[in-house]
């Protein structure tokens, strides 16, 4: 979410040493860090490059000049073509119910998250509404809320330890960023005090089995993690309650008077190409985006597990294998991030990784122990291979040093 998630200020000149003082011994790029703290989904570029002109959009000078897209729609700034494409995509993949839902488009799902906080807490009471998510949680939830310092809502951290009385919002992120876990609500038995936001940014076939069409009241999705087009900044919310949708729209009107039509137009085209590829029964990894991306994720996870095999310093979770209604096969969860845990008394995983010139994001930012760190697996192939190489060399070095 947002710039901080994708920004990785890296000092390429600084040389790093291992925790025990020895210099890393790998040969390539030995004086530069590999920045993998961001969830920038560039791994999908080769697929879209191959699609060539199929995804080309032409926009004339006279196109999309109005603020308005469809004055008859509750979400008056939603391009009808994008609304249709989103409904078609969920229909094709089977990952969410769109019937009886309003689609609210946003400048990334980051903007929609803020719009939802506003919508669910306005007009506000004596106390700000608590917002929680079970740790490890997506770091930007806390960051956005702390940055806005609203009197309407307040970040209360880990849902597991949330005890306060009164209204609250629980954000359920499944599959979860950073650890890939499949999540359900955690806060229980609060009558009608609780409101839920289901952030389903990663509920797509390349990351996990599609086990049912999600049917929650408020669901967030984003092009960033579905198609990989983070730069277009298009996200969408599927919202059951018209009044909540209207308040979200009010927020987006105040914050940006709608959402770029050019981006919506392009997103509609990209989504259309994905749907065409999925509906073509003869499609292969070359023209079926989800087959392509799942294959790539599978290869990356195999390489990662291989390089970590038999080492004593870093470990990964095991993920479930489930029947996927989309592929018709039993598939493993393949998270977008490696959630690495340091073993053998190493206390700070982010620091450990820096010692082998890999920049990840430490567990603390996700409300977890510093012995964890998140590394993005959505990077370009060269960076991914560099990551594997550094792990390989670094773990050997670390092994010798201890
Ligand atoms: N939710 C989750 C769980 C995410 O990982 C991200 C992107 N890192 C977002 C929301 C926001 O995505 P965007 O603003 O790019 O749509």
């Amino acid at each position: 979410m947002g710039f901080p998630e994708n920004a990785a200020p890296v000092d390429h000149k600084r040389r790093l040493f291992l925790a025990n003082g020895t210099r890393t011994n790998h040969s390539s790029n030995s004086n530069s860090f590999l920045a993998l703290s961001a969830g920038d989904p560039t791994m999908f570029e080769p697929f879209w490059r191959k699609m060539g002109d199929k995804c080309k959009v032409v926009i004339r000078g006279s196109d999309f000049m109005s603020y308005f897209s469809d004055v008859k729609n509750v979400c008056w700034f939603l391009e009808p073509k994008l609304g249709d494409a989103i409904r078609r995509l969920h229909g094709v993949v089977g990952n969410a119910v769109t019937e009886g839902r309003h689609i609210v488009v946003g400048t990334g799902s980051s903007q929609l998250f803020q719009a939802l906080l506003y919508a669910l807490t306005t007009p506000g009471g004596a106390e700000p509404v608590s917002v929680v998510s079970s740790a490890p949680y997506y770091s930007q939830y806390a960051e956005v809320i702390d940055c806005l310092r609203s009197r309407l809502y307040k970040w209360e951290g880990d849902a597991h330890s949330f005890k306060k009385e009164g209204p609250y919002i629980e954000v359920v992120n499944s599959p979860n960023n950073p650890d890939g876990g499949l999540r359900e609500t955690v806060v229980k038995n609060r009558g009608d005090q609780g409101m839920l936001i289901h952030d389903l940014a990663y509920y797509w076939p390349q990351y996990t089995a599609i086990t049912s069409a999600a049917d929650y009241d408020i669901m967030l999705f984003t092009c960033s993690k579905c198609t990989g087009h983070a730069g277009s900044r298009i996200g969408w919310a599927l919202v059951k309650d018209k009044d909540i949708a209207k308040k979200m729209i009010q927020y987006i009107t105040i914050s940006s008077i709608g959402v770029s039509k050019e981006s919506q137009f392009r997103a509609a085209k990209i989504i259309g190409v994905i749907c065409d590829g999925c509906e073509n029964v003869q499609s292969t990894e070359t023209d079926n985006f989800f087959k392509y991306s799942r294959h790539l994720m599978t290869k990356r996870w195999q390489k990662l597990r291989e390089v970590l095999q038999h080492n004593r310093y870093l470990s990964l979770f095991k993920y479930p294998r489930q029947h996927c209604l989309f592929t018709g096969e039993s598939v493993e969860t393949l998270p977008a991030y490696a959630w690495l845990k340091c073993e053998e008394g190493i206390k700070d995983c982010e620091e450990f990784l820096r010692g082998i010139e890999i920049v990840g994001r430490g567990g603390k930012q996700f409300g977890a122990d510093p012995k964890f760190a998140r590394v993005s697996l959505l990077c370009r192939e060269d960076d991914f291979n560099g990551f594997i190489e550094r792990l390989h060399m670094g773990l050997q070095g670390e092994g010798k040093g201890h």
Side-chain angles (χ1 to χ4, degrees):
M1 184 198 279
F3 190 68
E5 167 72 2
N6 296 324
V10 172
D11 177 358
H12 288 276
K13 300 234 165 58
R14 228 177 104 208
R15 299 185 72 90
L16 268 185
F17 295 86
L18 293 173
N20 63 4
T22 54
R23 198 182 287 275
T24 51
N25 58 352
H26 50 81
S27 53
S28 66
N29 298 317
S30 63
N31 63 349
S32 64
F33 293 101
L34 198 48
L36 298 175
S37 61
D40 201 17
T42 44
M43 74 180 276
F44 304 121
E45 278 170 357
F47 178 88
W48 294 111
R49 212 171 286 125
K50 267 203 202 133
M51 286 295 109
D53 282 355
K54 266 194 191 170
C55 302
K56 194 160 144 185
V57 288
V58 178
I59 300 170
R60 291 173 297 254
S62 57
D63 291 335
F64 305 126
M65 292 182 65
S66 170
Y67 282 117
F68 299 96
S69 293
D70 180 5
V71 286
K72 292 193 285 304
N73 191 350
V74 179
C75 189
W76 52 267
F77 50 80
L78 170 66
E79 280 295 303
K81 275 201 169 89
L82 180 61
D84 293 345
I86 288 169
R87 289 188 198 277
R88 181 179 172 208
L89 179 65
H90 286 301
V92 165
V93 175
N95 63 341
V97 173
T98 56
E99 290 81 36
R101 260 74 176 182
H102 300 278
I103 298 177
V104 183
V105 66
T107 300
S109 75
S110 303
Q111 188 185 34
L112 292 163
F113 179 65
Q114 292 170 37
L116 272 167
L117 293 174
Y118 170 83
L120 295 175
T121 59
T122 305
E127 292 288 322
V129 174
S130 304
V131 186
V132 296
S133 187
S134 52
Y137 44 71
Y138 175 42
S139 48
Q140 299 296 300
Y141 300 145
E143 218 163 298
V144 164
I145 292 168
D146 287 345
C147 165
L148 295 174
R149 294 194 205 181
S150 170
R151 275 171 297 175
L152 294 171
Y153 45 84
K154 187 168 179 259
W155 178 248
E156 293 283 355
D158 188 2
H160 286 105
S161 50
F162 178 62
K163 299 274 182 300
K164 256 191 174 173
E165 293 297 316
Y168 69 92
I169 297 170
E170 181 176 351
V171 193
V172 182
N173 181 205
S174 186
N176 187 48
N177 175 1
D179 68 350
L182 303 175
R183 292 282 186 82
E184 286 178 5
T185 51
V186 163
V187 186
K188 296 257 156 49
N189 304 323
R190 297 283 182 96
D192 57 2
Q193 300 273 46
M195 294 168 274
L196 297 175
I197 297 175
H198 279 85
D199 182 347
L200 304 182
Y202 301 90
Y203 190 42
W204 295 102
Q206 65 267 50
Y207 307 113
T208 192
I210 304 302
T211 50
S212 66
D215 193 13
Y216 306 107
D217 289 357
I218 298 171
M219 300 183 271
L220 289 178
F221 291 94
T222 168
C223 269
S224 305
K225 309 301 167 174
C226 170
T227 72
H229 292 82
S232 294
R233 309 302 306 122
I234 292 294
W236 63 94
L238 302 179
V239 183
K240 218 178 213 175
D241 186 305
K242 190 173 183 178
D243 291 333
I244 293 174
K246 275 185 169 169
K247 282 187 189 165
M248 292 175 75
I249 289 154
Q250 188 188 359
Y251 177 92
I252 293 170
T253 306
I254 292 165
S255 97
S256 54
I257 325 183
V259 176
S260 161
K261 312 276 183 266
E262 284 89 344
S263 281
Q264 293 190 54
F265 183 60
R266 177 163 184 239
K269 178 82 182 179
I270 298 280
I271 292 173
V273 169
I274 290 187
C275 292
D276 292 345
C278 293
E279 280 176 345
N280 172 7
V281 278
Q282 258 130 47
S283 69
T284 62
E285 268 156 36
T286 334
D287 51 2
N288 183 319
F289 176 72
F290 293 120
K291 273 189 190 164
Y292 171 89
S293 47
R294 173 150 271 277
H295 180 69
L296 213 58
M297 290 299 294
T298 308
K299 281 202 304 200
R300 289 192 177 190
W301 271 94
Q302 269 167 0
K303 280 192 187 174
L304 179 61
R305 293 222 185 262
E306 255 168 51
V307 80
L308 294 181
Q309 229 180 12
H310 310 308
N311 96 90
R312 290 150 45 209
Y313 302 101
L314 289 175
S315 66
L316 287 166
F317 288 143
K318 279 227 170 309
Y319 294 99
R321 190 167 259 286
Q322 289 173 298
H323 182 75
C324 175
L325 297 172
F326 175 72
T327 57
E329 292 164 7
S330 164
V331 298
E332 208 187 331
T333 294
L334 302 168
Y337 306 93
W339 183 237
L340 292 161
K341 183 182 174 202
C342 274
E343 308 284 352
E344 296 279 328
I346 301 167
K347 291 198 174 80
D348 190 322
C349 192
E350 185 179 342
E351 192 185 297
F352 178 88
L353 290 172
R354 276 189 178 261
I356 51 175
E357 299 185 344
I358 297 164
V359 183
R361 188 174 298 181
K364 237 175 142 183
Q365 287 194 55
F366 304 95
D369 196 286
K371 68 175 175 243
F372 289 95
R374 189 196 83 170
V375 174
S376 172
L377 301 179
L378 301 182
C379 51
R380 295 190 177 96
E381 195 69 7
D382 279 358
D383 285 344
F384 177 75
N385 290 335
F387 169 52
I388 296 294
E389 186 196 334
R390 281 165 201 227
L391 279 180
H392 179 65
M393 302 301 285
L395 289 171
Q396 278 182 359
E398 191 65 12
K400 282 180 203 136
H402 276 71

